[in-house]
Amino acid sequence: AQTVTQSQPEMSVQEAETVTLSCTYDTSENNYYLFWYKQPPSRQMILVIRQEAYKQQNATENRFSVNFQKAAKSFSLKISDSQLGDTAMYFCAFYNTNAGKSTFGDGTTLTVKP
Amino acid sequence: DAGITQSPRHKVTETGTPVTLRCHQTENHRYMYWYRQDPGHGLRLIHYSYGVKDTDKGEVSDGYSVSRSKTEDFLLTLESATSSQTSVYFCAISETNSGGPTDTQYFGPGTRLTVL
């Protein structure tokens, strides 16, 4: 079974600054994907970024990028130029390709301060 | 927006009553999932479906049943609701690739269920 750990329950950052959210996972699988989801107060789960485990290159989506360290089983999310609209809970998720199922971390609540 | 709706969006019920939550998709995707989200926790898989009448259990399936009689609808039933089932319930879908689910899931807006 996979486990996903987000060790920072809460974080805050000043508007326009950069913040990094941590995620580690444990698996014996080789074929998997990793995700970061954003959940604003509206509760909607929004896909932020996706990483294929077999790709060494870190995924990037505009102001969002990841640092994927496969050997260390680490998958952190960096948000650059933080905006007030980035305030949300962020979930790290692991997708087991063989099982076709996802495992989620417990989330990190991010507050962007003006 | 992946064309997923959930109904009802909010429900308050009493212990011991049956409750059915509905997930409806307009995308004709084969794979559908039910998760629950509790405070301080991520999403945990209750049940999932890989086609009409094809369902399987997730990690927290006790006390829940599901049915899928049409591709577009996936129903989650609490036969006799308990206070421990107070939660936010999310439905998700994923596309199919080479006969299996793709890795990316798209979520519905959630249903907040309170069991008194």
Side-chain angles (χ1 to χ4, degrees):
Chain A
Q2 286 70 230
T3 59
V4 178
T5 302
Q6 294 180 247
S7 59
Q8 306 150 314
E10 297 182 357
M11 295 190 71
S12 64
V13 63
Q14 291 296 132
E15 194 175 8
E17 294 189 346
T18 296
V19 65
T20 298
L21 309 183
S22 300
C23 174
T24 58
Y25 59 96
D26 188 22
T27 185
S28 58
E29 300 286 338
N30 281 317
N31 192 11
Y32 56 90
Y33 293 77
L34 296 162
F35 299 85
W36 279 98
Y37 287 90
K38 170 185 177 181
Q39 188 180 43
S42 66
R43 284 206 313 256
Q44 182 69 51
M45 292 287 286
I46 302 166
L47 177 63
V48 175
I49 202 163
R50 167 182 176 267
Q51 175 76 44
E52 298 158 335
Y54 59 86
K55 286 189 176 180
Q56 290 188 336
Q57 185 173 3
N58 290 322
T60 299
E61 287 287 342
N62 300 313
R63 298 183 294 107
F64 298 88
S65 61
V66 298
N67 183 5
F68 175 46
Q69 301 290 328
K70 190 172 184 178
K73 296 180 181 174
S74 171
F75 183 61
S76 61
L77 174 70
K78 185 173 80 171
I79 306 174
S80 303
D81 186 24
S82 296
Q83 301 176 359
L84 297 178
D86 295 334
T87 292
M89 180 167 280
Y90 288 81
F91 291 98
C92 178
F94 174 102
Y95 178 80
N96 182 333
T97 306
N98 291 330
K101 298 178 186 177
S102 295
T103 302
F104 288 79
D106 288 342
T108 296
T109 300
L110 176 67
T111 302
V112 180
K113 298 180 178 179
Chain B
D1 187 355
I4 310 170
T5 57
Q6 293 184 229
S7 58
R9 295 292 312 279
H10 300 87
K11 186 171 182 66
V12 179
T13 190
E14 294 188 349
T15 298
T17 60
V19 176
T20 295
L21 307 183
R22 179 183 182 234
C23 177
H24 178 79
Q25 58 149 327
T26 59
E27 306 295 321
N28 203 37
H29 290 317
R30 182 178 165 192
Y31 291 86
M32 299 184 76
Y33 308 81
W34 275 109
Y35 292 90
R36 62 177 288 173
Q37 183 183 22
D38 301 300
H41 294 283
L43 277 66
R44 292 183 290 172
L45 182 65
I46 305 171
H47 281 280
Y48 64 102
S49 171
Y50 44 96
V52 173
K53 299 190 187 305
D54 291 325
T55 65
D56 205 348
K57 296 179 179 180
E59 61 180 306
V60 290
S61 59
D62 288 347
Y64 302 94
S65 62
V66 290
S67 64
R68 190 154 177 217
S69 58
K70 299 185 290 185
T71 299
E72 59 266 34
D73 289 327
F74 191 31
L75 305 181
L76 177 71
T77 297
L78 291 65
E79 300 290 348
S80 178
T82 67
S83 59
S84 65
Q85 294 176 310
T86 292
S87 188
V88 179
Y89 291 86
F90 285 94
C91 175
I93 63 173
S94 63
E95 299 173 349
T96 305
N97 184 19
S98 301
T102 59
D103 52 277
T104 303
Q105 295 183 347
Y106 300 94
F107 289 86
T111 294
R112 180 177 292 279
L113 176 67
T114 302
V115 183
L116 302 176

